[in-house]
Amino acid sequence: MSVQISYKKQTLFGFLLLLCLLSVIEISMRVYDHYAPNCQFIESEVFGEMSFELKRQICNDNDKLVWNNNPLYLIPNQHFSTININSHGFRGDELQNNSDYRIFVMGGSTAFGVGATSDDATIPSYLQQKISEDFNKYNIEVINAGIPQAFSFTEKNLIKDKLLDYDPDLLIIYSGWNDIDADYDNYERGGDSFQDQMIRKIRQTDIVTLNVLMKLYFSYKHDTIDVIPFDSSKIKEKVSLWKNSWRDICELQEKYDFDTAIILQPLLGTGNKSLSLEEQTNLLHYDSNRRNQYYGLYADALNELDSTCTLVHDLRNVFDSHSETMYYDSGHVGNKGNEIIAEQIYAEIIPFIKEHTR
């Protein structure tokens, strides 16, 4: 009997010891993650004048963001220091009930504003600010419908399944990067590979240790590979899928009474921008020259959409007159880059707004 009790005590003691060990590890990882957030943009010149505390907050808020992958949508009512997702699943304030003109800006993480210092520093928000200044007599609403990982397939479904119910007047599709990097074989599954599913499940847990280990693993892979090669397989097929997705949406314009602007987004190395030393390093690391050779096929497809969509516009050269560091990786930019892009988009859509408000 005493031997049995001894075994039980040993088992209980071992369990408690393991629990204490795991608790110490979790607490240590939480402390580590707080003081050393593992975000690649932390050291970029794009954020050079920003306090470490703010960069850490941006990093942590983006890590906490939760979305569903298939179908792709942001979980509503998420509120962090630098990111707010409203009750409809869009970034920013709640929607208005009496807008005179409603604009949705769609895209992936670049449209959503990953790396932006707040909801007010994204492309849609800068666009809202410029419109409100020039058309202050009208209630024109710009809604940020960008979602990290979104590409043409998920965005097309989002429009058909959700956005049309909000009676949009103008859809701005800020697109290109996620499509050229998308996995062709998983295209109609929303690009949701097994690895993506596992990453999402880990991100959604409250166990910081798992999240930190995952980030350290991917950072190690990222930092120890000199060149991350661009996969050009099935590129023509992917371009065709991208083009056909937007043609399908543009063909709905007359039935649902909205306009569509397809904007090809800039990437590192597109156009004739004079690259900073950081950008030159990233250009080689991300194999951007090779990617950009094939990215021109999307510009060609953009021209084919010109007769179907209300507006098509190529923004690959938007930073040609800027020599400072704009990109902190192969496609994301900071606040200033977002504002410059918003200015160019605004210049293109002014005729639509004037036509509606005259």
Side-chain angles (χ1 to χ4, degrees):
M1 185 70 174
S2 61
V3 174
Q4 292 178 349
I5 294 175
S6 177
Y7 285 152
K8 290 180 180 179
K9 286 183 177 180
Q10 289 179 28
T11 301
L12 179 60
F13 177 76
F15 175 76
L16 292 175
L17 185 63
L18 178 62
L19 187 63
C20 289
L21 179 62
L22 292 176
S23 298
V24 170
I25 294 174
E26 176 69 8
I27 293 171
S28 300
M29 285 297 185
R30 286 178 182 270
V31 173
Y32 172 81
D33 192 47
H34 179 76
Y35 289 103
N38 198 12
C39 286
Q40 293 171 8
F41 68 78
I42 288 287
E43 302 299 328
S44 175
E45 294 173 358
V46 171
F47 306 95
E49 298 180 359
M50 188 186 302
S51 70
F52 178 77
E53 288 73 19
L54 181 54
K55 287 189 284 190
R56 179 179 62 198
Q57 190 64 60
I58 295 170
C59 180
N60 289 338
D61 290 351
N62 277 279
D63 282 345
K64 293 175 184 175
L65 191 69
V66 180
W67 60 84
N68 187 78
N69 268 55
N70 197 5
L72 186 67
Y73 62 86
L74 288 167
I75 303 301
N77 297 312
Q78 300 184 65
H79 302 287
F80 312 111
S81 296
T82 63
I83 298 173
N84 291 281
I85 308 301
N86 66 27
S87 61
H88 298 271
F90 305 122
R91 183 171 186 176
D93 297 332
E94 290 297 325
L95 303 192
Q96 301 174 17
N97 294 323
N98 58 343
S99 57
D100 298 317
Y101 192 77
R102 177 168 279 175
I103 301 171
F104 282 93
V105 180
M106 304 187 63
S109 54
T110 48
F112 173 82
V114 168
T117 55
S118 72
D119 298 334
D120 296 330
T122 65
I123 294 171
S125 182
Y126 282 125
L127 187 59
Q128 176 74 77
Q129 295 168 33
K130 297 176 188 305
I131 291 173
S132 296
E133 289 174 4
D134 292 346
F135 295 89
N136 51 47
K137 295 181 180 179
Y138 300 92
N139 187 10
I140 300 174
E141 183 179 25
V142 181
I143 300 166
N144 187 342
I147 307 174
Q149 296 186 356
F151 65 108
S152 58
F153 176 78
T154 65
E155 291 163 341
K156 179 180 71 173
N157 289 339
L158 182 67
I159 292 170
K160 291 183 175 181
D161 297 340
K162 182 176 181 178
L163 298 194
L164 291 179
D165 293 337
Y166 291 91
D167 295 323
D169 294 293
L170 173 63
L171 298 178
I172 298 176
I173 315 296
Y174 184 71
S175 181
W177 183 17
N178 284 358
D179 271 85
I180 196 171
D181 282 350
D183 181 358
Y184 176 80
D185 294 330
N186 287 314
Y187 183 85
E188 292 192 353
R189 292 202 298 268
D192 198 17
S193 65
F194 176 75
Q195 177 176 288
D196 292 330
Q197 295 176 33
M198 294 303 299
I199 291 173
R200 186 172 72 256
K201 289 184 182 300
I202 292 174
R203 283 173 57 93
Q204 292 176 358
T205 68
D206 293 325
I207 304 174
V208 173
T209 300
L210 293 177
N211 281 281
V212 170
L213 291 177
M214 181 183 69
K215 288 193 293 183
L216 287 173
Y217 169 72
F218 284 110
S219 291
Y220 173 78
K221 286 184 62 177
H222 177 275
D223 295 338
T224 54
I225 298 175
D226 291 332
V227 178
I228 301 175
F230 170 69
D231 182 6
S232 62
S233 61
K234 301 287 187 179
I235 186 65
K236 292 184 178 180
E237 290 86 348
K238 290 198 292 186
V239 173
S240 180
L241 290 172
W242 182 81
K243 178 181 63 177
N244 292 336
S245 289
W246 300 134
R247 177 176 287 132
D248 290 346
I249 293 301
C250 292
E251 288 176 349
L252 297 175
Q253 291 178 148
E254 184 175 351
K255 178 180 179 180
Y256 291 94
D257 191 24
F258 65 86
D259 293 312
T260 305
I262 312 296
I263 309 294
L264 188 65
Q265 68 185 103
L267 297 179
L268 175 63
T270 60
N272 297 300
K273 181 186 184 303
S274 177
L275 301 182
S276 68
L277 181 59
E278 178 184 332
E279 290 174 326
Q280 291 176 31
T281 301
N282 283 335
L283 187 80
L284 297 175
H285 181 64
Y286 292 107
D287 200 14
S288 293
N289 279 331
R290 178 171 169 80
R291 174 189 282 108
N292 293 340
Q293 291 176 5
Y294 293 98
Y295 199 48
L297 297 175
Y298 286 83
D300 295 338
L302 191 71
N303 294 329
E304 295 180 42
L305 293 170
D306 193 21
S307 60
T308 308
C309 304
T310 315
L311 168 71
V312 298
H313 188 61
D314 185 349
L315 274 185
R316 287 179 299 166
N317 64 347
V318 68
F319 297 128
D320 280 6
S321 60
H322 299 272
S323 59
E324 68 269 38
T325 302
M326 285 292 174
Y327 298 95
Y328 63 83
D329 55 19
S330 59
H332 291 106
V333 299
N335 291 4
K336 183 174 182 179
N338 286 338
E339 185 171 16
I340 292 170
I341 290 167
E343 289 174 351
Q344 291 295 313
I345 293 176
Y346 179 49
E348 294 298 320
I349 67 170
I350 281 180
F352 307 137
I353 302 174
K354 288 183 175 180
E355 175 69 21
H356 190 86
T357 57
R358 66 180 181 180

